[in-house]
Amino acid sequence: MLRNGLEPWHLLVVAIMVILLFGSKKLPEAARGLGKSMRILKSEAKAMKEESNVTEPAATYQAAEPAVAESAVAPATEPPATAS
């Protein structure tokens, strides 16, 4: 087959070793856990992609607005209290 590559019997040996190491009961549980993790990862990646698509137009809109000088909006401050 492939020169210096994996042949089908290599994969068979690896599969047998995995079954012997982890046992036949643990493999379905591990596969379920891996599948669940992959679904969570995909949903989070999709949510992040949608979030970035929603925030990008707003960010460009805010950058286009003229900046308001800080002196134009004076914060209301109270005079410091004196100790008697």
Side-chain angles (χ1 to χ4, degrees), residues 30-45:
R32 267 192 292 283
L34 183 62
K36 195 178 223 182
S37 298
M38 291 299 295
R39 282 192 298 274
I40 291 170
L41 179 66
K42 284 182 182 181
S43 67
E44 291 295 324

Side-chain angles (χ1 to χ4, degrees), residues 1-11:
M1 292 212 139
L2 298 173
R3 198 173 240 181
N4 296 327
L6 288 177
E7 294 185 13
W9 69 273
H10 288 126
L11 298 176

